[in-house]
Amino acid sequence: MAWIALEGMRFFSHHGVYEAEKLLGGEYVVDLYVRTGIAKAAAADNVEATINYETIYQICRLEMDQPRQLIETVVAKIVGRMKHQFNTMEALRIRVRKLHPPIGGRIDAAFVEEILEFVSDCPRCKKKFISYGDDCWERFPNLHPATREALTRQFGPKCLCDDCLKFYQG
C-alpha cells in the first residue's frame, strides 16, 4: 500500500461564522492523504488505474469554492466527494487549515483534521475489504428485501464484502 498525497493546497475562500469572514474571505490550506494500492497502476503506468491527484485537487477546489460556516462542514463535504469518486481508498486523512483566523489574537492557524480507515473484516467470511460504511446495501440494489432483512438480523449493521453480497444476491 502507498500514500497518495497533496500537501499545501492553497485556496482563498469565504468560510466563516462572522459576516466579515463571509464577505472578505480568507486563506486556507488543505492537506489530503489517501492510502491505496498502487501496484496495478505502476505496472500499467496508467493514471486511470490509480487515484489521480489532479482529481483530488479539483474535488478540494470545488468544495473550497462553496461558502460554509464551519471548516468541519468543508471537511465532511470533501470526504463525501472522495468516497463518491474513488472506491479503492483504504484510508483517508484530511486537514483544512484557516490561516490567521479572526478570534481576537495572533493565531497562525485553526484547523480541522479527520482520519478515516475504510478497511473492514467481512462478518460472514472474515475477508478484508474496503467499506465506506454508508453504501453497504446500495451497492447491491437487487438484493431481495427479505434477504437483506435476514442479513441485517444475523450480522447487524456491519457491511458484508462484495463476494458475500453477490452470493446472497444470486
Side-chain angles (χ1 to χ4, degrees), residues 5-70:
L6 285 178
E7 292 183 322
M9 292 180 276
R10 292 189 176 262
F11 301 96
F12 190 85
S13 300
H14 296 270
H15 307 304
V17 174
Y18 303 113
E19 286 305 315
E21 294 175 292
K22 294 175 188 176
L23 182 65
L24 299 174
E27 190 173 1
Y28 293 79
V29 179
V30 178
D31 301 316
L32 192 141
Y33 308 82
V34 178
R35 190 176 71 218
T36 189
I38 62 167
K40 289 180 185 177
D45 196 26
N46 182 359
V47 70
E48 293 180 14
T50 189
I51 293 179
N52 184 336
Y53 54 80
E54 183 178 9
T55 304
I56 294 171
Y57 176 81
Q58 293 303 328
I59 287 170
C60 293
R61 184 186 59 77
L62 284 169
E63 287 305 329
M64 293 303 292
D65 284 347
Q66 295 296 316
R68 312 265 189 223
Q69 287 193 68
L70 302 177

Side-chain angles (χ1 to χ4, degrees), residues 2 9 20 26 28 41 45 62 76 101 111 114 128 140 146 160 168:
M9 292 180 276
Y28 293 79
D45 196 26
L62 284 169
F111 71 86
E114 187 163 17
K128 292 197 176 299
F140 289 85
L160 275 65
Y168 284 110

Side-chain angles (χ1 to χ4, degrees), residues 142-159:
N142 295 331
L143 191 66
H144 193 277
T147 303
R148 179 177 171 171
E149 184 180 323
L151 291 173
T152 303
R153 256 194 329 272
Q154 185 174 359
F155 298 109
K158 294 183 179 179
C159 287

